[in-house]
Amino acid sequence: MTSTPAGPSLAPATRTLLTLAAGVVVLAGLYAANDVVAPILLAAVIVIICHPVRFPLERHGWPRWAATTAVIVVAYLILAALLAMLVFAGFQFADLVQSYLPQLQQAMRDLVDQLATLGIDTDVADAATSWLEPSRLLSLAGGVSSTVLGIATAFFFVLAYAIFMAADGARYSTASQVFGASQAGPVDRATRFSGGVRRYFVVNASFGAVVAVIDGIALTILGVPAPVVWAILAFVTNFVPNIGFVLGLVPPAIMAFVVGGWQLALAVVAVYCVVNVVLQVLVQPKFVADAVNLSLTLSFVSVVFWTFVIGPLGAILAIPLTLLVRALLLEGDPRSGWLRWLSGDDVAAVAAPTMPPDGRPRRTDEAPDELVESGEAGEAGEAGGGTTEEPPGLVPAEHAAPDRAGPAPSDPEKG
């Protein structure tokens, strides 16, 4: 049989440059279309979370269309709850800033005076407090309100996307039955990705609810205005890896400083540090790591990266998007075990080649010692049309298989 010679392959550096160039083009397209892409991704995540609702219903005899309707209803309930919380917290925050504007101005003047008394230059003090100027906070309050309205508008698109994605999810769930083992790899990767996304959001939602309740009760006891708003903020920011704790702490600390001075602000910081650090920094990362197998560095970088690419929703969808990229680009390539391990994936270690008992790495053309001892390596070589002759120094002589080309044993009857 004649074989067609393979064409010239690209150099590794050229392939790397082409891959990076293609990635830049894709990311630029996502950035340009983030107003459309972000709602689609959010709808996909919501449907992935709600998709398991259909399985017990179908086992109890529900038709497929009824199970799909149940998935859509659950997705809509989740979206309605999120929208209600965001709208309430956004408009309450805007009213809060406007109501406490005189106290905020006085607090800023007192802060500048105290910094000047401590010997800090006035310019430095002004620079340190410029990000807390009332005008900026007013614009921030207006920006929050407009952002909430924008999110509410985007949710209408999410509602429409969820219907189609839930209907398609009923069809895609039968892929393993339709294709069997021929597409086992892609189906398995998609299943692992969906399971990881569900576990991640279940863990974050559980810890976020606990943190929000504790923070809300503590702020109520301390007398900080609008504790419900800050509790909602703590719940939402819990979905932002690594930096969500800081994002949820700064606004209530500022409000505590305005109404109660440094003492109340330090009390708020102390409560958040005790509650949020223990739960979000010490306990929650262990559960998140078991759910998604991502390194802490990659989790933090993914938040900044996806927020830049698709906007504010990128901070909440950062981990699912990173899992999607890893599933598409790395998990299907057996040569990417090293990169998967760097990303925090422990599954790659299972597929890593084991070291032989003699401690030396085995060459690709070398048969295991146990096959050489039993003679199976020679038989495999003959079956493949190759030769059983071993290269010099490859296998010890005492472990070598008998030479099948040698003289046959003499017959005692012909002696």
Side-chain angles (χ1 to χ4, degrees):
M1 176 183 295
T2 59
S3 59
T4 304
S9 59
L10 297 175
T14 304
R15 291 198 301 269
T16 301
L17 290 177
L18 290 176
T19 302
L20 292 176
V24 169
V25 172
V26 172
L27 293 175
L30 292 176
Y31 178 81
N34 57 6
D35 293 336
V36 177
V37 173
I40 293 177
L41 295 175
L42 177 61
V45 169
I46 295 295
V47 171
I48 288 174
I49 295 173
C50 302
H51 184 69
V53 172
R54 73 168 53 255
F55 299 128
L57 299 179
E58 291 180 350
R59 284 196 298 268
H60 285 78
W62 285 43
R64 180 177 294 183
W65 65 267
T68 301
T69 303
V71 173
I72 295 173
V73 170
V74 174
Y76 279 13
L77 291 176
I78 294 176
L79 290 172
L82 292 176
L83 180 60
M85 288 191 301
L86 290 176
V87 170
F88 173 79
F91 286 104
Q92 286 291 320
F93 177 74
D95 294 338
L96 200 63
V97 172
Q98 295 177 359
S99 300
Y100 285 87
L101 182 58
Q103 295 92 322
L104 186 59
Q105 291 174 333
Q106 184 61 41
M108 292 302 101
R109 286 193 293 266
D110 294 341
L111 179 60
V112 172
D113 294 339
Q114 291 176 6
L115 292 176
T117 303
L118 295 175
I120 300 177
D121 186 69
T122 306
D123 295 336
V124 178
D126 293 340
T129 58
S130 61
W131 64 284
L132 293 177
E133 290 179 356
S135 59
R136 292 195 176 187
L137 289 177
L138 283 176
S139 63
L140 176 61
V144 169
S145 301
S146 62
T147 301
V148 169
L149 291 177
I151 293 176
T153 303
F155 268 24
F156 285 105
F157 294 99
V158 175
L159 296 177
Y161 297 148
I163 295 176
F164 304 122
M165 290 182 179
D168 289 336
R171 179 171 176 265
Y172 296 154
S173 61
T174 62
S176 58
Q177 303 173 4
V178 174
F179 293 98
S182 62
Q183 297 295 328
V187 171
D188 183 58
R189 291 197 298 272
T191 303
R192 287 200 306 270
F193 165 72
S194 302
V197 170
R198 281 190 288 268
R199 290 192 300 270
Y200 169 74
F201 279 103
V202 167
V203 169
N204 274 2
S206 302
F207 278 93
V210 173
V211 168
V213 171
I214 297 176
D215 289 343
I217 295 175
L219 293 176
T220 302
I221 295 174
L222 293 174
V224 178
V228 178
V229 174
W230 313 129
I232 293 175
L233 181 64
F235 175 77
V236 174
T237 55
N238 190 67
F239 291 95
V240 181
N242 304 112
I243 61 176
F245 162 68
V246 178
L247 297 177
L249 168 63
V250 172
I254 295 175
M255 183 56 61
F257 171 71
V258 171
V259 299
W262 285 109
Q263 296 82 359
L264 186 57
L266 288 177
V268 171
V269 172
V271 169
Y272 269 68
C273 287
V274 172
V275 175
N276 296 42
V277 169
V278 170
L279 291 178
Q280 293 180 315
V281 178
L282 300 180
V283 180
Q284 181 177 343
K286 175 62 171 62
F287 290 89
V288 173
D290 293 340
V292 299
N293 290 332
L294 282 180
S295 64
L296 294 178
T297 302
L298 184 58
S299 299
F300 174 75
V301 172
S302 64
V303 173
V304 180
F305 177 78
W306 289 113
T307 302
F308 170 77
V309 173
I310 64 173
L313 281 177
I316 298 177
L317 301 177
I319 299 301
L321 291 176
T322 303
L323 293 177
L324 178 62
V325 172
R326 187 172 71 179
L328 293 177
L329 300 183
L330 299 183
E331 293 185 7
D333 189 355
R335 299 169 300 178
S336 63
W338 169 247
L339 294 177
R340 290 178 60 185
W341 182 83
L342 286 178
S343 71
D345 191 1
D346 294 333
V347 179
V350 178
T354 57
M355 184 69 69
D358 56 6
R360 61 184 178 89
R362 195 180 303 280
R363 297 203 324 243
T364 56
D365 57 349
E366 182 178 357
D369 291 340
E370 59 269 22
L371 295 183
V372 175
E373 291 176 351
S374 62
E376 295 178 4
E379 295 174 359
E382 292 176 354
T387 176
T388 59
E389 181 181 357
E390 296 291 340
L394 188 60
V395 180
E398 59 270 21
H399 295 297
D403 189 2
R404 299 179 182 273
S410 59
D411 189 351
E413 296 181 358
K414 295 181 180 181

